[in-house]
Amino acid sequence: MEISDFVRHQRKLHKMTQRELADRAGVGIRFIRELEYGKPTLRMDKVNVVLDMFGHRLGPVPEREDD
């Protein structure tokens, strides 16, 4: 699952608007929109602040699974 999909899913699961998530995480609404739309260049520290709202953090993942 992509981070954008995860954040959108978690936000909706917790019944929050983008504005409410932005306010609770202490980031701007524009940042939440860009994160949910999959902007490829975002600050990792801010992404972690948002992910922390749902008990997660960024981490290394394999680019592809070995066959």
Side-chain angles (χ1 to χ4, degrees):
M1 177 180 280
E2 298 291 324
I3 292 175
S4 56
D5 297 328
F6 174 81
V7 170
R8 186 179 306 109
H9 174 76
Q10 290 295 313
R11 176 177 61 78
K12 290 181 178 186
L13 186 68
H14 289 86
K15 297 180 170 68
M16 284 189 276
T17 64
Q18 288 180 333
R19 169 72 62 200
E20 289 169 332
L21 177 56
D23 289 346
R24 290 183 186 184
V27 299
I29 183 75
R30 180 178 173 182
F31 182 82
I32 297 297
R33 288 182 181 142
E34 290 174 345
L35 177 58
E36 287 192 3
Y37 290 120
K39 182 179 178 188
T41 55
L42 292 171
R43 287 183 42 188
M44 288 191 302
D45 61 330
K46 284 186 169 187
V47 172
N48 273 325
V49 167
V50 174
L51 290 177
D52 187 54
M53 296 288 301
F54 308 116
H56 286 72
R57 293 194 64 72
L58 286 174
V61 296
E63 187 171 342
R64 56 189 153 95
E65 291 187 31
D66 293 339
D67 295 295

